[in-house]
Each structure stands twice: as structure tokens, then as C-alpha cells.
Amino acid sequence: MDTTTLKVLVEQAETSKIGQVDFDNLSFGNVFTDHMLVCDYRNGVWEMPKVVPYQPISLEPSAKIFHYGQSIFEGMKAYKDTDGATWLFRPLENQKRLNISAHRMAIPELPEEYFMEGLKTLLRIDEQWIPTAEGSSLYIRPFMLASGTGFHASPANEFKFIIACAPSGSYFSGKVKVLIEEKYSRSANGGVGFAKAGGNYAGQFYPTKLANEKGYQQVIWTDDNNHEYIEEAGAMNIFIRINDTLITGPTSDRILDGITRKSILDIAKDEGIPVEVRKITVNEVVEASKSGTLKEMFGAGTAAVVSPIASFGYRDVDYDLPELSNSYAARLKKRITDIQYNKAEDKFGWRHRV
């Protein structure tokens, strides 16, 4: 289908809430724009997407989302540059990953033009909601859920695709203290860890709560078998710097193919930073910390881009990371955000104008 011929239906909100919003004090993901995109799957086809006023959705108690958790989501952002132009960062990667998740969760895949044209239409209508303060952005949440009904354990026959947006201020997570998990697992071989399925994140909440009670902000997830290998940091991919080499685990059934992760790998290689994509054991990290060769650990994801780790706990011992004035974390984050906000050359072709 020619994307230029796709007509996204629009129902304009009668009044705007934007005047009630304090854009100088935005928390993350708590204020929502005037409109949202909705697209329904019925009778074996995705219907035409439409932009409607932001509103509650109505579902029957027998909707399968409530019983079998058939849902997936994505996370992305829109950015304003100093000239007022709106940009997306690698949006087709989000669209592709949404469909990878959909396929794994027995949800019908969404046509690329429905995603892209629907998103661009929504952003043009709610353009004034994209913050312009330094470091701020419009967080975008595309998601799919099973709206079809029935108590039988089988895939739904009806689904909803929705995009909702939330203006958010600069995301400063600070340096975090993390706990290496040895009992609970985020995912398993043959499972859905590589998909952005809602249940993956719900399952993380309890172990994270236990870590919080011990004084840690996040959990470092290890493999489900022997808890031997480092895999993810909370809801983010993880990078580890030993001496001058940047290491991250390979994607698998258990590890999400993060878009920020892929971007960091490409930028690191472009800047001549030695990179290894391989399994890394907990013992290797502990020994590197003891020997002084462990220089950095950081999470990578859409919300914070890069989240430095100040220390990690393992078997009742805390290991501190050194304070660096020329960290890879800061260097890589700046390179990515300069591309996102149209402040620097985009030699990779990642920036997409709306």
C-alpha cells in the first residue's frame, strides 16, 4: 500500500487540556495529550486507524486481556529541535519489534503504514504537546491488547491497537544501586523474554520490591538456569566496561533486542571503542571489580537512554564502581541525544522527520 494514500480518520477534541499542564514540572508518564490513535482488529482484518480524543476504553469483563494477558507494547519518543521541527528516532525499529512481539503472542501483525501514518497523524494533531525544554520529549506508548471475549484459553479474535502519548521532562535517573538476582528469573529459554509482553514486566515487580526493601533500586537479571550470566538491568539492557572494552550479552529468547542497545553498539564501533557482544558471567564482573578493571556498568533504554550504575550487590557484598570524568556512559548518551534532537550529524540515517 502507498502510505501517501492511507487516510487516517480524525475526531478532534472539543477542548484542549494543554492549558492546565505545567510543562516546567513534568513527571514521567503521568500527563496525557488531547488525542490517541485507535485501530481495531475484527473479522480477520485491521480496520482503518483513527485519531480520537483521549478517553477511557470500554471492554467486557470476558475480554481475554483480563484472563490470559495477551498484550504487548512499545516505548518511543518524539523530539523538538530548536527550529520547532519534530523528529522520531528509528521508528521503524519500533514498528518491526511490535510485530515480532505480536507474532510471538499470537496477535495479528499490524501493517507498517498503519503504524507510521497513524503515529505521524497523531503527532501532527498534538504537536503543541511536545515539550521544548532541554532534555524533554513526548513519550509515545504504542500497545496492543486482546479485546475479544471468552473464558476459553485460546487467542482472542479481536484486538485493539492504541497509541497514547505523555509529555515528559528530562529523565534523570541518577546513578543506581542494583542487586544481582539469584532466585527469580525474568524469562526462560523458549519463553517470551525477547517480546515486549506486558506480563514480562509484571513478573519483575515482586523481585524488584524485595530488592528495594534491601536498599537497592533495581535488579540485575541473570539466566534462568544457574544464575551464572548477567542478562538485563531492571527493564533495560545492560552494558559492562572492563578496562576499555564495552561488553553486552547477545540477544536471545530471554533478552530484549533493545533499540537503544543497538544504537550504542553502532556508535561505540564508530568511535573506535572496543566492543564485545558475548555472555558475561557474574564471577567475571565480581573479579573485575576486585582487581580494579571494572570501570563502568550502565543500563540502556528509551526512557533514560543511559542509566549509570553506582554499585552492585552480590551475596551480601556491595561492589562500588569508580567515578569517571570521561565515562563511556556520558559520551554515548550525548552522541545519541544529539542525534535525537537534531543537534548533530546523523550518519546512520536514524532520525525521522514527522
Side-chain angles (χ1 to χ4, degrees):
M1 180 184 293
D2 182 353
T3 58
T4 60
T5 65
L6 182 69
K7 179 67 175 177
V8 179
L9 305 175
V10 176
E11 179 188 339
Q12 198 87 28
E14 291 184 6
T15 58
S16 175
K17 309 184 296 285
I18 198 167
Q20 305 166 22
V21 177
D22 181 1
F23 279 85
D24 293 326
N25 294 285
L26 288 169
S27 58
F28 182 77
N30 287 321
V31 175
F32 306 100
T33 64
D34 287 326
H35 298 88
M36 63 185 192
L37 182 85
V38 179
C39 186
D40 287 298
Y41 180 89
R42 298 189 185 100
N43 301 315
V45 296
W46 284 104
E47 298 176 352
M48 191 61 62
K50 54 188 176 183
V51 173
V52 300
Y54 182 87
Q55 61 192 274
I57 57 175
S58 178
L59 296 171
E60 292 192 30
S62 55
K64 292 198 173 186
I65 177 58
F66 300 131
H67 308 280
Y68 304 113
Q70 209 178 357
S71 70
I72 57 173
F73 70 96
E74 275 296 322
M76 51 197 304
K77 291 178 178 179
Y79 311 86
K80 276 279 184 74
D81 66 17
T82 54
D83 294 326
T86 300
W87 301 92
L88 294 166
F89 182 72
R90 309 189 75 177
L92 289 175
E93 292 296 323
N94 291 99
Q95 183 271 328
K96 290 173 186 173
R97 191 172 62 182
L98 183 82
N99 279 340
I100 289 170
S101 298
H103 183 78
R104 179 61 181 86
M105 297 299 290
I107 297 173
E109 296 179 26
L110 185 79
E112 177 186 310
E113 60 269 22
Y114 280 40
F115 183 96
M116 290 302 299
E117 292 305 309
L119 174 58
K120 288 191 285 187
T121 301
L122 176 62
L123 292 178
R124 287 166 186 152
I125 290 172
D126 279 345
E127 182 186 7
Q128 295 303 311
W129 283 87
I130 305 173
T132 56
E134 181 74 23
S136 63
S137 59
L138 184 72
Y139 185 79
I140 302 166
R141 173 53 61 86
F143 62 102
M144 290 182 181
L145 60 89
S147 54
T149 60
F151 292 149
H152 45 289
S154 60
N157 60 1
E158 294 185 357
F159 296 87
K160 281 187 177 294
F161 171 65
I162 297 173
I163 302 179
C165 301
S168 298
S170 184
Y171 192 103
F172 292 112
S173 62
K175 288 198 172 183
V176 296
K177 184 178 178 182
V178 299
L179 177 66
I180 294 179
E181 180 59 51
E182 289 196 273
K183 178 179 179 180
Y184 297 99
S185 297
R186 177 188 173 273
S187 57
N189 286 329
V192 297
F194 68 92
K196 284 190 75 72
N200 288 347
Y201 299 81
Q204 295 184 37
F205 295 157
Y206 178 66
T208 303
K209 175 178 176 289
L210 296 180
N212 294 161
E213 291 170 355
K214 295 177 181 178
Y216 300 92
Q217 285 80 48
Q218 275 295 351
V219 167
I220 295 292
W221 300 105
T222 52
D223 66 283
D224 63 303
N225 189 16
N226 297 316
H227 297 284
E228 180 182 2
Y229 296 100
I230 299 283
E231 297 211 324
E232 291 200 353
M236 308 176 81
N237 295 119
I238 187 168
F239 285 84
I240 296 164
R241 176 185 174 184
I242 296 178
N243 287 320
D244 290 332
T245 300
L246 196 61
I247 308 165
T248 193
T251 55
S252 66
D253 287 349
R254 302 184 308 277
I255 298 178
L256 185 73
D257 188 11
I259 294 162
T260 305
R261 172 189 177 276
K262 289 194 284 194
S263 304
I264 285 173
L265 288 174
D266 287 344
I267 289 172
K269 291 172 185 175
D270 183 63
E271 297 208 351
I273 295 172
V275 171
E276 293 180 5
V277 178
R278 62 169 175 84
K279 290 184 175 182
I280 182 166
T281 66
V282 176
N283 285 340
E284 183 180 354
V285 174
V286 170
E287 290 305 313
S289 180
K290 289 178 178 178
S291 69
T293 58
L294 179 64
K295 303 300 184 184
E296 293 181 72
M297 296 173 65
F298 56 87
T302 299
V305 185
V306 168
S307 182
I309 293 170
S311 68
F312 68 91
Y314 181 63
R315 295 185 177 176
D316 299 321
V317 178
D318 286 343
Y319 299 86
D320 293 330
L321 277 293
E323 291 276 352
L324 300 179
S325 58
N326 57 341
S327 69
Y328 285 175
R331 178 175 164 188
L332 293 166
K333 180 174 183 176
K334 184 178 189 304
R335 182 82 185 272
I336 289 177
T337 55
D338 281 353
I339 292 173
Q340 290 171 336
Y341 287 93
N342 194 27
K343 292 180 178 179
E345 176 194 5
D346 176 19
K347 66 191 299 181
F348 305 99
W350 291 339
R351 204 162 44 220
H352 184 101
R353 187 164 185 169
V354 175

